[in-house]
Structures are given as C-alpha cells and as structure tokens.
Amino acid sequence: MFSIKQNHTIELRSTRLQTLDDFERVSDRLRSALGARRLVITEPDPRRVTIRVIYEEALQAGYAEERFFQSLSRPHDFSSLPFAIDELGQEVCLNFHEAPHLLGAGTSGSGKSVGAQALLASIVTADGPKRLFLVDPKRVELSMWGPLAESHATTAEAMTATVEAVRAEMTRRYEVMDERGVRKLTDNPALYEELGGTCVLVVDEVAEVLAAGGKEVGQALSSIAQLGRAASVLLLCFTQRPSADLFGKTTGTETLRSNLSNLIAWRVLRRPDVDVILGAGAASDDGKDASAIPSSMPGAAYCSFSEVMVRTPYLSDERLLDFINREKGHDFTIQG
Ligand SMILES: Nc1ncnc2c1ncn2[C@@H]1O[C@H](COP(=O)(O)OP(=O)(O)O)[C@@H](O)[C@H]1O
Ligand SMILES: [Mg+2]
C-alpha cells in the first residue's frame, strides 16, 4: 500500500490512539518504513492528523517559469501573491494582509535576487494601483525593473533619498487618513486608490544599505516597518548577512527585525543563521534547517508561511524583459 514513491498527504482522523504526539513518537520508524526523506506531521484541527510524506527532491526540477506566469495571469492581490511551489508541488502565496513586510536572507548565490524578481513580477500583476521604489546597492540585480519604479537607487545618496521619500509618503498618507478619519487605508478603497494603492519599497542587500546610509536610513526603514502597514506601505528586505548583529542600535534598527513578519531563509552557511532569520528553534524544532539546503538547488528556501521547503521560480532575463515591457503603464503611478 505504501509503494507509491510520490509525495503525498495522508489524512487521519484522530482517535485516542492516533494523536499528534503518538505519531511524532513513531515518526522516525514510520518514515523509514515508507522509505521517505521526510515526514511533516501536523494537526490542522483537533480531530485530524495530517502526515505529509516527502520522497526525494520534488523541488529538484524547480518551479517552471511557464507555470509561474500562468499563476500570475490569474487575478491576485496583496493577500495572494504567487511566489513559490512547495515540496508537495503546491503553489505557495504570500499574504501581506495577514502579515506585513518581508525579510529574505541567504548566502551569496542562494537565490535571493531571483526570488525578489519573482515577487516583483507577482506584485506588478496584482490588482489595483501600486507604487514601486527600489534600493539596489549591487546596481544590477533590480535594474530591469527600473522602468516600472519611481526610483531605482544605487548610490548611497540616492538610496538615502529613496528611503526618506517612502517615509515621507507614509507620513503624508497618515495625515490624509487622519483628516478623513481612516485608520487603515485598505478599509477605504476610494482613498486607497486616490493615494496610489500599495507602496512597495524593495531593499536588496540591506546590510550594505545600512553600512552606506548609516543611522538615518536605519531609522527610516525601522519606522516604515513599524508604521507602514496601516498606510499600505510595504518593506521587503533582502540580505546575505543574516548575522545577529545586523539589526541593532548602531544602525538605528533595533526594532526593524521584529516588524518584518514574512520570513524567508534561502540556503545559509551556518545553522545558527536559520534561527536569526526564521526565529529561535526554526532549524531544530520545526525542521526548517536552511543550512542543509544543497547548493545545487538555488531558489530553495524555508519560510514562515509554509511548513515545508519551497522553491521560487527562475525567470529568464528575456522573458522578464518582455513581461516588464508589457506591464509598463499598467496600474502604475510614476510621479516625477
Ligand atoms: N529559483 C531558482 N531556480 C533555479 N535557479 C536559480 C533560482 N534562483 C537562483 N538561481 C540560480 O542561482 C543564481 C544566483 O541567484 P541570485 O538570486 O542572484 O542569488 P543571490 O541574490 O542570493 O546572491 C542565479 O543566477 C541562477 O542561476
Ligand atoms: Mg543578490
């Protein structure tokens, strides 16, 4: 009966003999009996136990570009942004209504920038208006998106100016919202449209940005992370230095980390890095050991919004350029 060596899910009704604890106690034996690589056992509700049986690398083949673009063509908004597939081959979306902002980390070459591109593709095809701001110290990673953004900052000066501009926009939004008695921008669709929809600030290599811009930039980013949500201002940060000292007093970012609630760990070099990114115990207790992701699988990651490993799509430059050219002018506010 267990000869199907394909990833699958077993659903069991809990009885007194089949509680989550019972299964966890025997999970190692069950895993080897099934010849599976990994079991993910959860209890979606008190009456059910779900066992996901994961064989070999379902993610090895990657997330086909074609399938991703198909997902993008379906209506989606900031509560359902197509982003990755998981080990069971299912699509994983980001929900920025449920949890604001994002921190993505991983060693060099792990797939952060490619992941950022996928997320950008998802964002620009989302329903409704949006405004895009890019901070890109590496200068090339996000340059393709320049035509769809209000700024693509690559120098220390421009990066500081861009982050400040987004903070100023957030403050302006709060002023208008106060005047009109609106507490959360998405509660008032007309005003949401009027103010330009969701403002997205993407910061690649945040450690470099903080090193170049200093406390001023750090405080502005922290303030956006703390207050942005109600004003529909989103901060997406990527870093290859997920060390514990990245966020702290010297850069004015002691509150930044805790306000970034969507967390992604691509491959990291050391296991303790996982806990810095995903939270204490992620590697040991939740089985999200991103230091064990093979370097042959760039784009594979563990994240806060999936129990199992995910992989983002790899989008070819050619296809992306074509896509961006088609998107230009759609729902975008580009202000002088
Ligand atoms: N999701 C993916 N699927 C397949 N290959 C990928 C994926 N993400 C990245 N790669 C490969 O890995 C390389 C490095 O990815 P990149 O996003 O630039 O890494 P990082 O920004 O973390 O340094 C890419 O040029 C690509 O060849
Ligand atoms: Mg990169």
Side-chain angles (χ1 to χ4, degrees):
M1 138 188 195
F2 290 128
S3 61
I4 348 141
K5 297 244 164 168
Q6 248 176 14
N7 291 349
H8 60 274
T9 302
I10 304 172
E11 286 247 350
L12 298 160
R13 301 234 161 254
S14 309
T15 68
R16 238 188 285 169
L17 288 171
Q18 297 172 332
T19 64
L20 185 60
D21 282 350
D22 291 327
F23 280 107
E24 275 176 350
R25 223 169 291 132
V26 298
S27 75
D28 255 355
R29 266 191 293 156
L30 191 57
R31 186 190 58 72
S32 66
L34 293 170
R37 186 171 66 81
R38 211 152 82 80
L39 299 185
V40 180
I41 306 177
T42 52
E43 199 174 28
D45 64 62
R47 304 184 55 86
R48 279 186 309 153
V49 171
T50 299
I51 306 177
R52 291 189 201 143
V53 188
I54 294 160
Y55 289 104
E56 272 325 295
E57 312 290 358
L59 292 180
Q60 206 94 66
Y63 186 177
E65 188 175 48
E66 212 43 59
R67 181 176 170 198
F68 180 65
F69 279 111
Q70 256 167 35
S71 299
L72 294 190
S73 64
R74 285 201 315 268
H76 58 275
D77 62 18
F78 280 86
S79 71
S80 57
L81 297 171
F83 177 63
I85 49 166
D86 67 17
E87 284 178 299
L88 296 159
Q90 276 152 4
E91 204 174 281
V92 175
C93 292
L94 266 160
N95 183 346
F96 284 113
H97 289 177
E98 198 172 271
H101 316 302
L102 178 142
L103 172 66
T107 188
S108 176
S110 61
K112 299 178 298 293
S113 297
V114 169
Q117 310 256 18
L119 189 50
L120 279 167
S122 208
I123 285 170
V124 303
T125 49
D127 293 339
K130 46 255 157 187
R131 302 175 61 183
L132 200 56
F133 299 82
L134 308 172
V135 169
D136 183 13
K138 287 231 166 110
R139 289 159 191 259
V140 289
E141 305 283 30
L142 304 174
S143 58
M144 245 191 267
W145 298 87
L148 296 181
E150 287 175 47
S151 78
H152 174 240
T154 58
T155 64
E157 238 170 49
M159 293 193 291
T160 305
T162 297
V163 174
E164 285 298 348
V166 174
R167 175 160 64 173
E169 168 63 16
M170 180 178 78
T171 308
R172 181 183 79 95
R173 288 180 169 206
Y174 267 107
E175 281 163 13
V176 178
M177 286 158 63
D178 275 350
E179 262 167 39
R180 313 253 187 114
V182 175
R183 291 180 58 186
K184 201 167 128 227
L185 197 48
T186 46
D187 287 346
N188 188 324
L191 189 58
Y192 175 81
E193 291 262 332
E194 188 186 320
L195 292 181
T198 302
C199 246
V200 181
L201 172 59
V202 181
V203 181
D204 200 14
E205 301 300 353
V206 68
E208 282 181 40
V209 175
L210 291 173
K215 221 167 174 166
E216 195 187 340
V217 164
Q219 283 167 344
L221 289 176
S222 303
S223 158
I224 292 165
Q226 192 181 352
L227 303 168
R229 179 185 211 166
S232 293
V233 177
L234 283 182
L235 174 61
L236 317 180
C237 290
F238 297 87
T239 181
Q240 61 171 287
R241 237 189 55 196
S243 52
D245 63 356
L246 172 58
F247 302 117
K249 260 212 168 94
T250 45
T251 50
T253 53
E254 55 270 52
T255 65
L256 179 56
R257 168 66 181 74
S258 63
N259 285 311
L260 304 173
S261 18
N262 293 292
L263 308 167
I264 307 168
W266 278 278
R267 186 171 75 88
V268 295
L269 296 178
R270 299 170 315 131
R271 206 172 143 128
D273 292 347
V274 181
D275 287 3
V276 173
I277 306 162
L278 296 180
S284 49
D285 305 342
D286 309 338
K288 295 182 173 179
D289 186 1
S291 68
I293 295 174
S295 58
S296 57
M297 272 188 19
Y302 287 102
C303 57
S304 59
F305 42 92
S306 169
E307 281 154 16
V308 296
M309 201 196 281
V310 304
R311 195 165 185 192
T312 56
Y314 178 72
L315 312 174
S316 63
D317 284 0
E318 203 179 47
R319 190 70 199 264
L320 260 185
L321 266 180
D322 183 51
F323 169 82
I324 290 167
N325 284 330
R326 263 185 292 124
E327 282 303 315
K328 231 189 305 189
H330 286 214
D331 277 330
F332 266 90
T333 336
I334 302 188
Q335 293 170 355

